[in-house]
Each structure stands twice: as structure tokens, then as C-alpha cells.
Amino acid sequence: EPEVTQTPSHQVTQMGQEVILRCVPISNHLYFYWYRQILGQKVEFLVSFYNNEISEKSEIFDDQFSVERPDGSNFTLKIRSTKLEDSAMYFCASSEALAGWTGSSTDTQYFGPGTRLTVL
Amino acid sequence: AQSVTQPDIHITVSEGASLELRCNYSYGATPYLFWYVQSPGQGLQLLLKYFSGDTLVQGIKGFEAEFKRSQSSFNLRKPSVHWSDAAEYFCAVVTNAGGTSYGKLTFGQGTILTVHP
């Protein structure tokens, strides 16, 4: 069964450093998402991405964050200058259609295993 | 804005006992509802989803959930819990066509399930 993959599984970085989290979505999916989960808190939406553009972003997704689909398979999240509060599990997800648009199974978002980011 | 509430932070059951995890949503239009499970150190796995039609939906691993519009609920059930079901369970909602926020899943705070032998 196709799955979303993420690398690395764990990233440790110093405050102020740039990090790039990588994701390989399911191959026929067109919509891509990043979520994060700070330890002990809810999973929070960060950004959705389609056709090489951001569809929606949350308040969390400020100028320090950026997303890119550099080639036909990868989807990346970059944090330019990490802060202590960026420490979290970051999940990538993908779907065939935009969740909520068609009301069908193609809307379903499939999640990767996550990257645990630790900022020291 | 839509919101999801899972009233129970932590539930403990004995193996073989029945299980019900509660989920309430606040959303004006037709919600699309999901249950995901997260095992320790793992990502989020889709258990089941409701888009329309039959309000009782079946999922993987023997789970089912019932959508009750009158109660704004989407509770997850399993008749007989196995030790391997110990995990954290998340209810989530996404807006539908006509809303303003496509693609964004809003999650509840999660319910941790502990299973005693």
C-alpha cells in the first residue's frame, strides 16, 4: 500500500539554525500538508499546498516557514531560524483531492510517520 | 471556526472490554469527520471516516463510529479491546464545500487509551 514517507525521523538542531524537513507524498496525490504536534498538545495545521502554491496557512506559519516542491516527488518544510518553541513532531500529509472539496474518499489525508524536531 | 472536543484525556479499559471514545464537534455546515490513531513513536493512521450516507461507519481493526448530527458527536467504538489497541486516538473534522477553509483538518486534543491485561 502506498504511504507517505518523511526524513529524517529525528532532527536535533541549535537555536537559530535552518532546518529542512523532507516528505515524499503518495505518488498520485496532488495536495500536500504540514501539521505539527508540540509534546502534549493537539495536532495543529500549518499549511496546505497545491499546484506549487500555498492554498492556506495558519497563524503559526509565519515568515520563518516556507514550503517547496523542488521536484516531482519531494515536499519540504523549511524553518529559516529555529526557535526553542519550534520543537515538535512535524507531520506531512497528502491527498488526491482537497480535503472537504469533493466529500469523497479522495479527500482523505494520509499522514507520514513524522519528524521529531528538537531545538536546543 | 470549527472545533473538536474529546472530553476524555485518558481512558483505561481491561482487555476484552468494550470501548467508546467520545468526540464532539462544533461546526455549522456538514462536517467530514475522521478518527486517527497514533501508536507510540508512530505517525497518524486513519481508522475510519464519515463523509455522507450511513451514519454508522466501519473502520479498520474492528472499530466503528456513529455520526449523530443532533448531538454533534462522532463517537468511536469497539466491542472488545485488544492490548494492541493501546494508543492515542484523535478525532478530526474538515470543512466542506462552501466553507472557507478547505484542506485543513482540525484535531481534538486526543484520548490516550491504556489497556490492562
Side-chain angles (χ1 to χ4, degrees):
Chain A
E1 183 177 322
E3 59 182 19
V4 177
T5 59
Q6 290 184 243
T7 54
S9 57
H10 193 181
Q11 174 93 45
V12 181
T13 190
Q14 296 291 324
M15 190 170 55
Q17 294 296 304
E18 174 183 288
V19 295
I20 297 176
L21 309 183
R22 290 183 168 79
C23 167
V24 179
I26 294 173
S27 61
N28 65 327
H29 287 185
L30 301 176
Y31 295 86
F32 314 111
Y33 315 84
W34 284 101
Y35 292 81
R36 79 172 184 189
Q37 183 184 28
I38 295 172
L39 191 63
Q41 297 186 23
K42 289 186 182 187
V43 177
E44 304 171 286
F45 169 82
L46 290 179
V47 66
S48 58
F49 188 87
Y50 168 72
N51 199 27
N52 283 320
E53 288 185 348
I54 290 175
S55 303
E56 184 180 0
K57 59 184 181 180
S58 71
E59 296 171 352
I60 304 165
F61 196 88
D62 61 23
D63 292 344
Q64 292 300 311
F65 291 88
S66 63
V67 288
E68 191 179 31
R69 188 151 163 83
D71 52 44
S73 59
N74 289 284
F75 178 52
T76 62
L77 174 69
K78 182 193 290 186
I79 309 175
R80 287 189 184 82
S81 178
T82 50
K83 307 182 185 73
L84 295 176
E85 54 266 34
D86 293 328
S87 294
M89 180 75 90
Y90 288 81
F91 292 106
C92 174
S94 69
S95 62
E96 282 185 64
L98 192 61
W101 182 255
T102 69
S104 73
S105 294
T106 56
D107 291 9
T108 301
Q109 292 182 27
Y110 293 89
F111 284 76
T115 293
R116 178 161 297 286
L117 176 65
T118 302
V119 182
L120 302 175
Chain B
Q2 66 249 38
S3 67
V4 179
T5 302
Q6 294 178 245
D8 305 304
I9 295 173
H10 196 169
I11 283 184
T12 300
V13 299
S14 298
E15 193 169 15
S18 63
L19 172 71
E20 181 169 32
L21 303 183
R22 295 182 291 166
C23 172
N24 294 97
Y25 65 89
S26 170
Y27 183 59
T30 302
Y32 296 132
L33 296 153
F34 304 82
W35 276 99
Y36 285 87
V37 60
Q38 184 181 29
S39 299
Q42 303 296 312
L44 296 165
Q45 182 183 21
L46 180 69
L47 277 177
L48 48 75
K49 55 188 180 282
Y50 170 78
F51 287 116
S52 64
D54 193 346
T55 56
L56 184 64
V57 292
Q58 302 297 320
I60 62 170
K61 305 184 181 187
F63 285 92
E64 66 178 26
E66 186 170 13
F67 170 60
K68 292 186 178 179
R69 186 185 298 276
S70 62
Q71 298 177 18
S72 298
S73 69
F74 188 57
N75 294 347
L76 182 71
R77 301 193 294 249
K78 186 169 184 178
S80 178
V81 170
H82 188 263
W83 63 266
S84 60
D85 294 324
E88 189 163 16
Y89 292 79
F90 293 93
C91 183
V93 65
V94 69
T95 190
N96 67 334
T100 60
S101 184
Y102 301 114
K104 171 184 165 183
L105 277 172
T106 299
F107 285 84
Q109 53 267 60
T111 299
I112 297 171
L113 174 66
T114 299
V115 181
H116 281 324

